[in-house]
Amino acid sequence: MPGTKGETEHNKLQFVDTLRALAIMGVLLVHVSQQVDGLNGWLQKGLSLGAKGVALFYLASAFTLFLSLSRRSGDRKERVSAYLVRRFFRIAPLYYIMLITYLLVNGAGPRFWLGDQEGITVANIAAHILFLNGLNPYWINSIIGVEWSIAVECMFYLCVPLLFKLIRSIRHAAWFVVGALLLSFGLNTVFANAPWIGDHLLWGHYLYLWFPNQLPVFGLGILLFFIWKDERHWKSVDRFSGVLLLGSMLFALCTGMTDYLIGVLLLLGAYALYHWKPVWLLNWGWSWIGCLSYSMYLTHMLALEIVSQIEFPFSPVVNLTLMYVMTLLLTTGLSWLTYSWIEQPGIRWGKNIISRMKSVRSQEDSVNESVA
């Protein structure tokens, strides 16, 4: 494993917590800025880059999932079922409670993400419960307002066990990144001209949010894992893999796929964070925010709705600053409660179920061995 002798595992991976913290701070910034009138156009465009925090979440997620599977690859009792249980109880308990909360607070009436539909249907809610809301442009983001990324994340979860078996090196990861980029470009090109719905604006948003368009960034997270894993780091990237990645960037540049180029910059920034370990970014404060980041992602829209009721009489920039600080503080407080009372118990439930599954499997193996 990379790192100096004696370095703790926490210190090696502290940069991942910081990535998550930076991601949620960016997402929070862009959503707050959308509630402030009168901001300069260029400033608004700059603040909109905070939305790329979701890509940072994806990068960190792909990295940690491959790391987790790599650590457990020697455990004969570890099956795909255990992996799925672990992922479900990491995501579902808080997600389900927040679905109920947002439905109670906002109701089931019309909204932008429902397009021309009259309201949230039972089928829509069922799709959210099954994490299938990403398959329908009317459902993908219609209850919480940020759940599209969870649907995309869960689709990636289903792919990971197979990808972990197929992608075994930096070259494999580079090929996957290129393939994902070409797939994303091809599908978006085809479906941009063959919409499933009559609302072309909503359809355009859907093609930006859906899983195929986000897949290249997950690929970059996998690539980051293999670069991090090899003690030679960037020197382990062979010439052919380098040419593939350079070609992918040129392709993205020529086809206007700027999100992929931003993803590459995020990968470089993530590695730089690990390599240089700046104390002002790698400390307990950022790690704490990183631990709360999932809760913050799901609760910040509630906090923002409360703060946005306040009429600030100052300049747009001052109003933005005040709204951001207040929303951040309120979100952090709510998230500490949901993290302590919902997230952590959910994770423990998952661990207990997996422990029982392994215990049953051990007993079955013992019986089979005695019979043999």
Side-chain angles (χ1 to χ4, degrees):
M1 278 294 175
T4 57
K5 186 176 180 180
E7 186 181 19
T8 66
E9 192 70 13
H10 171 74
N11 289 336
K12 291 178 184 179
L13 296 172
Q14 191 176 20
F15 80 103
V16 178
D17 285 334
T18 299
L19 292 180
R20 294 194 179 107
L22 292 172
I24 189 57
M25 300 289 273
V27 170
L28 188 60
L29 181 61
V30 70
H31 287 154
V32 171
S33 69
Q34 291 169 353
Q35 301 297 318
V36 179
D37 296 325
L39 289 173
N40 176 278
W42 287 104
L43 177 59
Q44 188 73 60
K45 287 182 179 179
L47 294 172
S48 69
L49 291 174
K52 307 310 175 190
V54 175
L56 202 51
F57 274 129
Y58 290 159
L59 194 81
S61 176
F63 175 91
T64 53
L65 286 172
F66 262 63
L67 176 62
S68 176
L69 289 178
S70 177
R71 286 172 169 174
R72 294 184 170 94
S73 59
D75 185 355
R76 294 178 56 189
K77 300 177 185 177
E78 184 75 15
R79 305 288 174 85
V80 173
S81 57
Y83 161 81
L84 293 175
V85 168
R86 188 176 292 110
R87 301 325 308 160
F88 178 83
F89 280 93
R90 175 67 183 89
I91 293 292
L94 178 61
Y95 176 64
Y96 288 159
I97 289 175
M98 296 313 297
L99 281 178
I100 295 170
T101 302
Y102 278 91
L103 282 170
L104 291 174
V105 171
N106 298 327
R111 60 202 68 187
F112 171 79
W113 288 103
L114 286 173
D116 56 8
Q117 293 196 337
E118 296 181 358
I120 296 171
T121 63
V122 173
N124 187 341
I125 296 173
H128 276 78
I129 293 172
L130 296 173
F131 302 100
L132 297 176
N133 52 299
L135 300 179
N136 188 309
Y138 293 126
W139 299 346
I140 189 170
N141 209 35
S142 56
I143 296 181
I144 298 175
V146 294
E147 72 270 26
W148 68 273
S149 64
I150 296 173
V152 168
E153 180 87 13
C154 289
M155 289 183 185
F156 181 66
Y157 285 168
L158 295 178
C159 299
V160 166
L162 177 61
L163 293 177
F164 184 74
K165 289 182 178 297
L166 296 177
I167 303 174
R168 310 302 296 174
S169 66
I170 287 177
R171 179 173 291 192
H172 291 166
W175 271 116
F176 177 73
V177 168
V178 171
L181 185 67
L182 293 175
L183 178 66
S184 173
F185 175 77
L187 290 177
N188 277 3
T189 300
V190 170
F191 285 107
N193 298 305
W196 301 346
I197 60 175
D199 189 331
H200 293 283
L201 177 61
L202 185 60
W203 181 247
H205 284 294
Y206 177 70
L207 290 184
Y208 177 78
L209 300 181
W210 74 333
F211 177 61
N213 198 50
Q214 308 301 323
L215 191 56
V217 177
F218 285 113
L220 291 173
I222 295 171
L223 179 65
L224 176 64
F225 165 73
F226 282 102
I227 293 172
W228 174 89
K229 182 181 178 182
D230 195 302
E231 294 182 357
R232 296 172 297 163
H233 298 315
W234 286 103
K235 293 180 181 178
S236 62
V237 180
D238 61 277
R239 186 173 301 176
F240 183 75
S241 299
V243 170
L244 278 177
L245 295 171
L246 179 60
S248 71
M249 288 185 281
L250 292 174
F251 178 81
L253 186 64
C254 294
T255 55
M257 300 180 73
T258 54
D259 281 341
Y260 174 74
L261 297 174
I262 292 173
V264 172
L265 292 177
L266 292 176
L267 182 151
L268 295 173
Y271 179 78
L273 188 64
Y274 164 74
H275 182 72
W276 280 303
K277 298 177 175 58
V279 177
W280 60 280
L281 281 175
L282 296 184
N283 53 59
W284 71 267
W286 286 106
S287 293
W288 187 62
I289 294 294
C291 289
L292 297 181
S293 59
Y294 178 55
S295 277
M296 291 179 72
Y297 186 75
L298 287 177
T299 61
H300 79 274
M301 296 297 281
L302 284 176
L304 180 56
E305 194 167 331
I306 295 171
V307 174
S308 62
Q309 301 302 314
I310 303 172
E311 293 186 9
F312 296 94
F314 308 106
S315 68
V317 173
V318 174
N319 291 344
L320 172 68
T321 304
L322 289 174
M323 283 191 70
Y324 184 78
V325 172
M326 292 178 67
T327 305
L328 176 62
L329 292 175
L330 183 55
T331 300
T332 304
L334 288 173
S335 299
W336 174 247
L337 296 178
T338 56
Y339 176 78
S340 302
W341 295 350
I342 304 172
E343 270 196 77
Q344 288 300 299
I347 292 172
R348 287 195 293 270
W349 295 339
K351 288 181 178 178
N352 290 337
I353 292 172
I354 292 170
S355 178
R356 291 171 188 168
M357 289 168 57
K358 289 184 176 181
S359 177
V360 170
R361 191 169 293 119
S362 295
Q363 292 175 8
E364 291 176 348
D365 290 343
S366 298
V367 171
N368 291 336
E369 288 177 3
S370 64
V371 171

